[in-house]
Amino acid sequence: MDKIVVRGGRSLRGTIEAAGSKNAALPILTAAILAPGEYRFTHVPLLRDVTTMARLLETLGATFHQDGHVLHLDTSRVEAGEAPYDLVKTMRASVYVLGPLLARFGTARVSLPGGCAWGPRPIDLHIKGMTALGAEITLEEGYVVARAEKLTGADIDLEIASVGATGNILMAAVAAHGITRIRNAAREPEIPALAEFLVAMGARIEGAGTSEITIEGGAPLKPAPCRIIPDRIEVGTYLIAGAMTAGDVTLTGCRTDHVGALLVRLKQLGARIEADDTTIRVVGPERLDSFELRTDFYPGFPTDLQAQMMALAAVANGRSVLTDTVYTDRFTHVAELQRLGADIQMERNVAVINGAKRLSGARVMATDLRASAALILAGLVADGETHVSRVYHIDRGYERIEERLTALGADVRREAEPGP
Ligand code: EPU
């Protein structure tokens, strides 16, 4: 198993290009189940989660090969099958095969994901959505089994604007007879990205990116090419790294409109931001101000940047209050940041952080993807070396993070870690 070793103290400087979005790529790959044939996806990030999704599609009969950032996928031989526990437990986004399998074959068998490192993360809204479209759902041996002779359009009011449920329902609804309306739909950019791909395949969808999406189901679908949108969370992570190291970092190939909440916030904290539609430059001050911040659904501040903002708060000037309202248990990074000397008190989903001038390097353990990113960022502003182990988490969602940080002048390396 690898670990990342960061020697802190350098300001990040330089330019890197945004990678493709993990969370946009995952549902888009499963949408290819809907129409058998050959697909070519470009700007696909080289990530473990993307490979896991491609492997899952392979178990259903697809073939794929990834050539750099181009992924070729052939779904001609996909058959009704199951998303097995072994894959789903490693990547919850596997549940995205539910809608497309049900739509194409009238049946789907998907393992329930179980808990994750930071809480229960249910899929009840996915199930309610499929039921509303006419599927009969049973739970058999830990698997959600969905069956439908035919899917029929329905009005679906989501209790929570879930990204995953919106995406899954969208993919099932394009094959349902009649009109589906998803109210309180997620507005995260990954949803319009998925809808755009489905429309390119022939689907009729309006309103994606707003809270009400209308789908006129039943249009014939065929394969279409797709370029994956830039990863707003990856972009955000490097911007935070630039700002908190008093650096000067430029990201190219971004969708600046997708990171609006972060840019507003970084400016308030004293960073200088220069941006056009696709390029963002952040220049960090000697020390950033403290802040009060709540995560929220898009266009609010993303929960996927909460951990990184906590690393920033750990060295900001004063007392910050950081609340996660989307995932109230997502705080596994707190105890690890404390090992680096961060002064953090937790009360339920609220963290109070007293910023210190410096942190001090230590051995820490990554417990999930964004937590790992936060620990690496903290290592950049810690004295001495920080060793972040279990780095496979970071490879799920950040392409070659050590190379990209090195390109920005950080002292970061990957080392093989002897097993237990
Ligand atoms: N929720 C339910 N029932 C459901 C689905 C969701 O109660 O059936 C709740 C969740 O517990 C949570 C809220 O709704 O409190 C939002 O969850 P959502 O369904 O939107 O999350 P997701 O689709 O499972 C995606 C991203 C996450 C990101 C969230 C929120 C993918 C593959 N994952 O998850 O990304 O945190 O949206 O924006 O797109 C990450 O990349 O590190 C990551 C965890």
Side-chain angles (χ1 to χ4, degrees), residues 330-351:
R330 194 180 201 176
F331 290 103
T332 58
H333 43 284
V334 169
E336 301 299 312
L337 287 170
Q338 285 167 336
R339 287 182 55 73
L340 299 174
D343 176 353
I344 306 169
Q345 272 98 48
M346 285 301 305
E347 182 145 350
R348 291 194 307 276
N349 60 334
V350 183

Side-chain angles (χ1 to χ4, degrees), residues 22-23 26 93 96 118 121-126 160-165 188 232 297 303-304 326-327 330 369-370:
K22 165 179 86 77
N23 290 347
L26 296 176
Y96 272 129
W118 35 274
R121 299 186 71 191
I123 58 161
D124 55 311
L125 301 174
H126 301 236
I160 304 173
S162 153
V163 179
E188 273 68 5
R232 63 195 171 98
F297 298 100
T303 170
D304 290 343
V326 179
Y327 282 115
R330 194 180 201 176
L369 168 56
R370 307 303 170 189

Side-chain angles (χ1 to χ4, degrees), residues 10-17 234 238 241 248-251 380 399-413:
R10 295 196 186 169
S11 296
L12 299 191
R13 271 168 216 287
T15 301
I16 52 173
E17 195 189 338
E234 193 215 27
Y238 290 118
D248 182 349
V249 168
T250 300
L251 268 292
L380 294 171
E399 188 177 310
R400 297 176 293 111
I401 191 167
E402 72 283 11
E403 286 177 32
R404 287 157 81 64
L405 286 172
T406 302
L408 294 174
D411 185 346
V412 180
R413 62 184 190 275

